Amino acid sequence: MSRIIIFILFLLPAIFAYSQENQPLVIYLVRHAPVDLNKPVLCSSYKAEKILDSYDRQPVENFDPTPVLQKIEGDQVSVYSSGLLRAMQTAAVLFPEQDSIQAFTLFNEYDLSIVSIPVLPLPYKAWTVMSRFFWAIHLNKKDESRTEATRRMKQATDLLVALAEKDKTTVLVAHGFLISDLRRELKKRGWTIILNGGNKNLAVSKLIYQP
Protein backbone atom coordinates (compact mmCIF):
# COMPACT_ATOMS: atom_id res chain seq x y z
CA MET A 1 0.00 0.00 0.00
CA SER A 2 2.81 2.41 0.89
CA ARG A 3 4.38 1.82 -2.54
CA ILE A 4 1.08 2.71 -4.21
CA ILE A 5 0.80 5.92 -2.20
CA ILE A 6 4.38 6.88 -3.07
CA PHE A 7 3.72 6.13 -6.74
CA ILE A 8 0.58 8.30 -6.72
CA LEU A 9 2.43 11.15 -5.00
CA PHE A 10 5.16 10.84 -7.60
CA LEU A 11 2.62 11.15 -10.41
CA LEU A 12 0.65 14.08 -8.98
CA PRO A 13 2.96 16.88 -10.26
CA ALA A 14 2.91 15.41 -13.75
CA ILE A 15 -0.88 15.04 -13.69
CA PHE A 16 -1.28 18.63 -12.48
CA ALA A 17 1.13 19.95 -15.14
CA TYR A 18 -0.72 18.03 -17.85
CA SER A 19 -4.10 19.36 -16.75
CA GLN A 20 -2.75 22.92 -16.69
CA GLU A 21 -1.27 22.61 -20.17
CA ASN A 22 -4.53 21.25 -21.57
CA GLN A 23 -6.86 23.86 -20.11
CA PRO A 24 -8.67 25.80 -22.84
CA LEU A 25 -7.45 29.32 -23.53
CA VAL A 26 -10.15 31.95 -23.02
CA ILE A 27 -10.39 35.44 -24.50
CA TYR A 28 -13.04 38.01 -23.63
CA LEU A 29 -13.44 40.98 -25.96
CA VAL A 30 -15.19 43.97 -24.37
CA ARG A 31 -16.12 47.13 -26.20
CA HIS A 32 -15.54 50.34 -24.25
CA ALA A 33 -18.29 52.31 -22.50
CA PRO A 34 -20.12 55.16 -24.29
CA VAL A 35 -18.15 58.38 -24.59
CA ASP A 36 -19.50 61.63 -23.16
CA LEU A 37 -19.65 63.47 -26.49
CA ASN A 38 -21.73 66.51 -27.40
CA LYS A 39 -23.08 66.03 -30.93
CA PRO A 40 -25.28 68.54 -32.80
CA VAL A 41 -28.36 67.34 -34.65
CA LEU A 42 -26.76 68.23 -37.99
CA CYS A 43 -23.20 69.14 -38.86
CA SER A 44 -20.87 69.72 -41.81
CA SER A 45 -18.07 67.33 -42.71
CA TYR A 46 -15.62 69.82 -41.18
CA LYS A 47 -17.53 69.85 -37.87
CA ALA A 48 -17.87 66.06 -37.96
CA GLU A 49 -14.09 65.76 -38.32
CA LYS A 50 -13.64 67.98 -35.25
CA ILE A 51 -16.08 65.83 -33.25
CA LEU A 52 -14.24 62.69 -34.34
CA ASP A 53 -10.94 64.20 -33.24
CA SER A 54 -12.37 64.99 -29.79
CA TYR A 55 -13.78 61.45 -29.48
CA ASP A 56 -10.31 60.10 -28.64
CA ARG A 57 -9.87 62.65 -25.83
CA GLN A 58 -13.26 62.64 -24.10
CA PRO A 59 -13.99 60.55 -20.97
CA VAL A 60 -16.52 57.75 -20.89
CA GLU A 61 -19.93 58.17 -19.34
CA ASN A 62 -20.63 56.71 -15.90
CA PHE A 63 -21.78 53.10 -16.20
CA ASP A 64 -22.64 50.06 -14.09
CA PRO A 65 -19.92 47.39 -14.54
CA THR A 66 -22.11 44.57 -13.16
CA PRO A 67 -23.73 43.40 -16.44
CA VAL A 68 -20.30 43.12 -18.05
CA LEU A 69 -18.65 41.32 -15.14
CA GLN A 70 -21.52 38.81 -14.97
CA LYS A 71 -20.46 37.57 -18.41
CA ILE A 72 -16.78 37.12 -17.47
CA GLU A 73 -16.02 33.87 -15.67
CA GLY A 74 -12.96 33.18 -13.56
CA ASP A 75 -11.49 34.60 -10.39
CA GLN A 76 -8.14 35.40 -11.97
CA VAL A 77 -8.11 37.16 -15.31
CA SER A 78 -5.45 39.23 -17.02
CA VAL A 79 -6.77 42.54 -18.36
CA TYR A 80 -5.45 44.57 -21.27
CA SER A 81 -6.77 47.55 -23.21
CA SER A 82 -6.10 49.65 -26.24
CA GLY A 83 -4.06 52.81 -25.83
CA LEU A 84 -7.07 55.10 -26.26
CA LEU A 85 -8.57 56.90 -23.28
CA ARG A 86 -12.08 55.43 -23.57
CA ALA A 87 -10.78 51.85 -23.48
CA MET A 88 -8.34 52.48 -20.62
CA GLN A 89 -11.01 54.20 -18.51
CA THR A 90 -13.51 51.41 -19.15
CA ALA A 91 -10.97 48.76 -18.15
CA ALA A 92 -10.13 50.67 -14.96
CA VAL A 93 -13.80 50.88 -13.94
CA LEU A 94 -14.43 47.21 -14.71
CA PHE A 95 -11.34 45.95 -12.88
CA PRO A 96 -10.40 48.47 -10.15
CA GLU A 97 -8.55 45.76 -8.21
CA GLN A 98 -5.94 45.46 -10.98
CA ASP A 99 -2.79 47.34 -9.95
CA SER A 100 -1.98 48.26 -13.52
CA ILE A 101 -3.67 47.44 -16.80
CA GLN A 102 -1.27 47.24 -19.70
CA ALA A 103 -2.36 49.18 -22.78
CA PHE A 104 -1.22 48.49 -26.34
CA THR A 105 -1.67 50.92 -29.23
CA LEU A 106 -1.83 47.88 -31.50
CA PHE A 107 -5.38 47.39 -30.12
CA ASN A 108 -6.46 50.96 -30.97
CA GLU A 109 -9.49 51.45 -33.18
CA TYR A 110 -8.83 51.93 -36.88
CA ASP A 111 -7.72 55.49 -37.64
CA LEU A 112 -10.51 56.92 -39.77
CA SER A 113 -11.08 60.38 -41.24
CA ILE A 114 -14.40 61.93 -42.24
CA VAL A 115 -14.97 62.20 -45.99
CA SER A 116 -15.02 65.82 -47.09
CA ILE A 117 -18.25 66.91 -48.81
CA PRO A 118 -18.70 70.71 -48.57
CA VAL A 119 -22.02 72.37 -47.74
CA LEU A 120 -23.86 69.19 -46.79
CA PRO A 121 -25.36 69.07 -43.27
CA LEU A 122 -25.88 65.53 -41.98
CA PRO A 123 -26.23 63.85 -38.60
CA TYR A 124 -22.83 62.97 -37.13
CA LYS A 125 -23.67 59.25 -37.25
CA ALA A 126 -24.39 59.54 -40.98
CA TRP A 127 -20.95 61.06 -41.54
CA THR A 128 -19.20 58.25 -39.69
CA VAL A 129 -21.20 55.51 -41.43
CA MET A 130 -20.55 57.01 -44.86
CA SER A 131 -16.87 57.55 -44.09
CA ARG A 132 -16.54 53.96 -42.86
CA PHE A 133 -18.20 52.68 -46.05
CA PHE A 134 -15.80 54.60 -48.30
CA TRP A 135 -12.92 53.43 -46.12
CA ALA A 136 -13.99 49.78 -46.41
CA ILE A 137 -13.96 50.01 -50.23
CA HIS A 138 -10.53 51.69 -50.16
CA LEU A 139 -11.72 55.17 -51.18
CA ASN A 140 -11.09 56.91 -47.84
CA LYS A 141 -7.35 56.62 -47.25
CA LYS A 142 -6.49 59.90 -45.55
CA ASP A 143 -5.27 58.27 -42.34
CA GLU A 144 -4.97 54.48 -41.95
CA SER A 145 -5.98 52.65 -45.11
CA ARG A 146 -8.06 49.48 -44.99
CA THR A 147 -5.02 47.49 -46.14
CA GLU A 148 -2.86 48.97 -43.38
CA ALA A 149 -5.60 48.39 -40.81
CA THR A 150 -5.97 44.73 -41.81
CA ARG A 151 -2.23 44.24 -41.45
CA ARG A 152 -2.31 45.82 -37.96
CA MET A 153 -5.35 43.74 -36.96
CA LYS A 154 -3.47 40.53 -37.78
CA GLN A 155 -0.52 41.74 -35.71
CA ALA A 156 -2.96 42.56 -32.89
CA THR A 157 -4.36 39.02 -33.16
CA ASP A 158 -0.84 37.59 -32.89
CA LEU A 159 -0.26 39.62 -29.72
CA LEU A 160 -3.65 38.71 -28.23
CA VAL A 161 -3.07 34.99 -28.79
CA ALA A 162 0.40 35.25 -27.22
CA LEU A 163 -1.10 36.96 -24.16
CA ALA A 164 -3.82 34.31 -23.94
CA GLU A 165 -1.25 31.50 -24.08
CA LYS A 166 0.56 33.13 -21.18
CA ASP A 167 -2.46 34.09 -19.07
CA LYS A 168 -5.04 31.37 -19.92
CA THR A 169 -7.96 33.78 -19.32
CA THR A 170 -7.55 37.16 -20.98
CA VAL A 171 -9.79 40.22 -21.17
CA LEU A 172 -9.23 42.86 -23.85
CA VAL A 173 -11.10 46.16 -23.68
CA ALA A 174 -11.02 47.69 -27.13
CA HIS A 175 -13.22 49.02 -29.96
CA GLY A 176 -16.14 47.93 -32.09
CA PHE A 177 -14.70 47.57 -35.57
CA LEU A 178 -11.42 46.10 -34.35
CA ILE A 179 -13.25 43.62 -32.11
CA SER A 180 -15.45 42.54 -35.02
CA ASP A 181 -12.38 41.79 -37.12
CA LEU A 182 -10.58 40.12 -34.21
CA ARG A 183 -13.49 37.71 -33.77
CA ARG A 184 -13.36 36.73 -37.43
CA GLU A 185 -9.58 36.37 -37.44
CA LEU A 186 -9.54 34.28 -34.26
CA LYS A 187 -12.23 32.01 -35.71
CA LYS A 188 -10.07 31.49 -38.80
CA ARG A 189 -7.26 30.45 -36.48
CA GLY A 190 -9.32 27.73 -34.80
CA TRP A 191 -10.91 29.62 -31.91
CA THR A 192 -14.55 28.93 -31.06
CA ILE A 193 -16.96 31.81 -30.49
CA ILE A 194 -18.93 30.92 -27.35
CA LEU A 195 -20.59 34.33 -27.02
CA ASN A 196 -20.88 36.98 -29.73
CA GLY A 197 -21.98 40.13 -27.97
CA GLY A 198 -21.93 42.28 -31.09
CA ASN A 199 -20.37 45.72 -31.30
CA LYS A 200 -22.47 47.89 -28.99
CA ASN A 201 -20.85 49.72 -26.11
CA LEU A 202 -19.94 47.33 -23.26
CA ALA A 203 -20.77 44.29 -25.39
CA VAL A 204 -18.88 41.14 -24.38
CA SER A 205 -17.68 38.35 -26.67
CA LYS A 206 -16.11 35.13 -25.44
CA LEU A 207 -13.82 32.83 -27.44
CA ILE A 208 -12.03 29.65 -26.42
CA TYR A 209 -9.24 27.57 -27.89
CA GLN A 210 -8.44 24.01 -26.86
CA PRO A 211 -4.70 23.29 -27.27
Side-chain angles (χ1 to χ4, degrees), residues 102-145:
Q102 193 169 1
F104 295 92
T105 57
L106 203 57
F107 296 133
N108 285 10
E109 182 62 294
Y110 301 137
D111 196 1
L112 175 72
S113 61
I114 298 294
V115 292
S116 179
I117 304 177
V119 199
L120 179 63
L122 291 172
Y124 174 72
K125 183 66 175 178
W127 282 115
T128 59
V129 170
M130 183 168 55
S131 299
R132 184 71 63 181
F133 170 76
F134 283 115
W135 176 82
I137 61 174
H138 304 274
L139 293 179
N140 183 8
K141 304 178 182 179
K142 182 179 176 181
D143 294 317
E144 185 177 35
S145 71

Side-chain angles (χ1 to χ4, degrees), residues 26-178:
V26 181
I27 290 176
Y28 290 97
L29 302 172
V30 182
R31 193 188 173 198
H32 63 82
V35 173
D36 187 8
L37 196 63
N38 184 23
K39 295 176 287 187
V41 176
L42 297 174
C43 60
S44 64
S45 60
Y46 174 80
K47 179 63 176 178
E49 185 70 46
K50 294 296 182 183
I51 296 172
L52 183 62
D53 289 341
S54 69
Y55 187 55
D56 288 342
R57 300 188 299 272
Q58 296 302 312
V60 297
E61 299 174 359
N62 293 329
F63 68 95
D64 179 9
T66 305
V68 175
L69 297 176
Q70 287 175 340
K71 297 181 177 72
I72 298 175
E73 300 173 351
D75 297 328
Q76 293 184 335
V77 298
S78 297
V79 184
Y80 303 92
S81 82
S82 87
L84 295 176
L85 178 63
R86 56 190 182 273
M88 292 189 291
Q89 284 189 333
T90 301
V93 173
L94 289 172
F95 301 96
E97 72 282 358
Q98 297 274 339
D99 294 332
S100 62
I101 297 174
Q102 193 169 1
F104 295 92
T105 57
L106 203 57
F107 296 133
N108 285 10
E109 182 62 294
Y110 301 137
D111 196 1
L112 175 72
S113 61
I114 298 294
V115 292
S116 179
I117 304 177
V119 199
L120 179 63
L122 291 172
Y124 174 72
K125 183 66 175 178
W127 282 115
T128 59
V129 170
M130 183 168 55
S131 299
R132 184 71 63 181
F133 170 76
F134 283 115
W135 176 82
I137 61 174
H138 304 274
L139 293 179
N140 183 8
K141 304 178 182 179
K142 182 179 176 181
D143 294 317
E144 185 177 35
S145 71
R146 180 56 172 158
T147 301
E148 293 168 336
T150 300
R151 186 181 306 119
R152 176 164 68 86
M153 180 273 296
K154 290 183 178 180
Q155 294 172 345
T157 307
D158 293 339
L159 173 58
L160 184 57
V161 170
L163 293 171
E165 290 173 343
K166 175 176 67 73
D167 301 325
K168 301 301 182 185
T169 300
T170 302
V171 177
L172 171 64
V173 182
H175 310 272
F177 286 100
L178 179 71

